[in-house]
Amino acid sequence: MPADLLATPDLLRSVFRRHAAGVAVITARGDAGPVGFTATSLASVSAEPPMLSFGVGTGSSSWPAIAAAGHVGVHILGEHQQEVAATFARSGADRFGPPTAWQEGPEGVPVLDGVLAWLVGRVVARVPAGDHRIVIAEVVHGDPTGTGRPLLYHQGRFNRLHD
């Protein structure tokens, strides 16, 4: 067995590159318009009441709007949405311009078209966690009826499920 490596940001990144994760886009309404980012840190927190969580970097361009938002949108991307995931992950991208298709949803939250499922949650907490915040939201609206298979993130790339 190799010697343990000291805990560093690079060690954490290297380990989590091996962890396959579903891909979501988080959105919110900001003062200057809609904001959003790609996230792989989405988790179910509670069924009663229905709650979820995700992490967001405090240095991200979306953080000021997420920090102030009363509600957020959570979108589960399908394997056909690799470009959407890449657009919302890219710094400086026009995330809500063409070809991104979206509409204003419940609570004024931007809702993306063509996703496998979406939820709108009322933010109940923003917990400090290093250079990130863990946002906890209680689900108030949603639609699980999109079709297709989920988009995954593994080894630094977007991937599809294989049978």
Side-chain angles (χ1 to χ4, degrees), residues 35 66 75 78 89 96 99 112 120 134 161:
V35 301
I66 299 292
H75 307 81
F96 289 89
L112 302 179
V120 169
I134 305 302
L161 285 175

Side-chain angles (χ1 to χ4, degrees), residues 24-27 35-39 41 54-57 60 62 66 88-89 95:
V25 167
I26 309 300
T27 62
V35 301
F37 63 96
T38 300
S41 61
F54 60 87
V56 56
S60 76
S62 298
I66 299 292
F88 278 83
R95 296 173 178 161

Side-chain angles (χ1 to χ4, degrees), residues 38-61:
T38 300
T40 56
S41 61
L42 180 64
S44 172
V45 172
S46 169
E48 288 293 332
M51 298 178 89
L52 59 85
S53 71
F54 60 87
V56 56
T58 56
S60 76
S61 61

Side-chain angles (χ1 to χ4, degrees), residues 57-99:
T58 56
S60 76
S61 61
S62 298
W63 171 242
I66 299 292
H71 292 83
V72 293
V74 176
H75 307 81
I76 307 302
L77 299 189
E79 63 185 8
H80 63 286
Q81 295 180 300
Q82 288 187 24
E83 188 53 40
V84 172
T87 297
F88 278 83
R90 193 167 34 252
S91 181
D94 181 5
R95 296 173 178 161
F96 289 89

